[in-house]
Amino acid sequence: MTILVTGARGSIGSEVVRALRAGGHEVRGSARDASMLDLPDAVSLDLTAESGFEDALEGIDAIFLYPTARAGAGHFLAAAKKSGVSYVVLLSSPDVREGAAGNPLRQAHLPSERAVRESGLPFTVVYPGWLAGNTRRDWGAAIRAGDPVRLFSPDAQFAPTAEADVAAVAATLLAERSYPGSDLALTGPESMTQRAVVAVLVEELGRSIEVRPETRGEALARRPEWMPAAVLEYLMDAEEAAEKRIAPVNNTVERFTGRPATSFREWARTHRSDFEKAATVHIG
Ligand code: NAP
């Protein structure tokens, strides 16, 4: 029985591969370009393609599926059903369950959810909370450069969720198939303000990091190219709302892995190098 992990290069997908292989399971990993993968069984796969899935699906029994923004993996899932796949774990976003109809993150994840729900395959959708790696994605460059971390809403609360915990729960689902439900939310162990998250990085990195609040206009003006303006607007609205209430915390990680969820401090300790300055090489 081989498990296909799509997005095997992704921060969660790579951890799903690691967790399944550590548990002694046969794993095939996919990326849109398989040459980017360093795995014994790797295939190229674009989930939004219309055909050509034979190599990826040969001998596969279960699948870890990444969401693909705006286009669901309908053709791929139809081929998976035909080839005998018996279970799918889809990564999604809590915005699908909690967001208002026009929420752009909900819109982006809905096609993948619909495709899985309409595929006729047994499935579980996992809904992680705010990923701990958002700190590296959003603040990493500033911290490495010694610049201030600019925050629209320093007092917004989230429960940082370690990617390896999301992966450990997904790997347990894929290996055991014992969860009868179709939806599973999981979070980190503690609700923290963004300011408190930066404070943990300060302690773990052993150097100061300035938090500089910014206005909505300033945040929009320095919006990264990959982030649509509507998504950033939505995220700022969500942050404003999250100033007033603590973030939900649940015990899913412990229920499925038998160990407590990873704290943000533990995550920061194992990801310290992501925030450290790259060494400068002087030649001549
Ligand atoms: P990541 O590191 O950015 O990896 C994304 C993966 O998706 C890549 O491996 C990529 O594969 C794969 N992919 C994208 N389009 C594809 C396609 N058409 N066909 C096949 N593979 C495709 O992502 P992550 O950090 O592991 O997970 C991020 C996801 O988690 C978000 O997209 C969101 O859906 C969900 N999420 C995020 C948060 C949060 O707080 N940020 C919270 C809840 C849920 P390639 O190797 O081919 O590029």
Side-chain angles (χ1 to χ4, degrees):
M1 176 184 102
T2 304
I3 298 169
L4 173 65
V5 178
T6 70
R9 237 162 40 96
S11 55
I12 294 171
S14 58
E15 296 283 357
V16 178
V17 170
R18 209 184 326 270
L20 287 169
R21 292 181 82 191
H25 301 282
E26 296 287 325
V27 179
R28 178 173 304 150
S30 76
R32 279 166 291 184
D33 177 359
S35 70
M36 305 294 281
L37 292 172
D38 182 18
L39 284 174
D41 187 356
V43 287
S44 292
L45 170 65
D46 183 340
L47 290 167
T48 61
E50 296 193 356
S51 59
F53 306 120
E54 296 77 12
D55 290 351
L57 289 170
E58 170 71 39
I60 293 298
D61 184 48
I63 299 173
F64 176 74
L65 190 67
Y66 259 91
T68 42
R70 288 170 225 293
H75 295 287
F76 171 71
L77 289 168
K81 181 143 195 267
K82 243 189 194 160
S83 82
V85 167
S86 63
Y87 183 51
V88 174
V89 171
L90 171 69
L91 172 66
S92 190
S93 161
D95 288 280
V96 174
R97 301 202 313 174
E98 297 158 12
N103 166 344
L105 287 179
R106 181 171 192 274
Q107 296 297 335
H109 287 83
L110 265 180
S112 297
E113 288 218 6
R114 276 203 198 107
V116 169
R117 291 178 197 279
E118 289 167 6
S119 69
L121 286 162
F123 68 90
T124 303
V125 186
V126 291
Y127 297 98
W130 191 81
L131 295 176
N134 292 347
T135 58
R136 174 185 50 216
R137 183 194 67 192
D138 298 341
W139 313 339
I143 293 174
R144 284 190 296 276
D147 292 338
V149 166
R150 287 178 287 176
L151 297 176
F152 169 66
S153 182
D155 296 315
Q157 296 202 47
F158 299 99
T161 307
E163 290 76 10
D165 286 358
V166 183
V169 170
T172 305
L173 288 166
L174 288 161
E176 295 180 2
R177 322 273 173 92
S178 54
Y179 180 60
S182 59
D183 293 6
L184 189 60
L186 69 114
T187 73
E190 180 189 10
S191 178
M192 300 170 73
T193 63
Q194 298 201 80
R195 206 188 285 283
V197 172
V198 176
V200 170
L201 287 173
V202 166
E203 286 170 13
E204 292 304 322
L205 297 175
R207 63 192 174 88
S208 63
I209 302 169
E210 183 194 342
V211 169
R212 190 176 295 171
E214 67 181 349
T215 64
R216 193 173 274 263
E218 285 166 344
L220 283 168
R222 63 174 194 92
R223 170 175 65 87
E225 234 171 68
W226 55 267
M227 169 86 74
V231 172
L232 184 55
E233 289 272 18
Y234 162 74
L235 290 174
M236 289 191 285
D237 291 345
E239 285 186 16
E240 260 173 358
E243 283 177 9
K244 297 184 194 81
R245 56 184 92 97
I246 59 168
V249 167
N250 67 30
N251 65 357
T252 299
V253 174
E254 190 157 4
R255 277 173 63 212
F256 280 79
T257 67
R259 57 154 179 84
T262 306
S263 67
F264 183 72
R265 184 175 299 282
E266 290 167 319
W267 183 93
R269 211 162 273 171
T270 51
H271 291 81
R272 207 182 273 145
S273 60
D274 296 349
F275 298 92
E276 277 162 359
K277 269 189 206 138
T280 314
V281 181
H282 294 283
I283 300 171

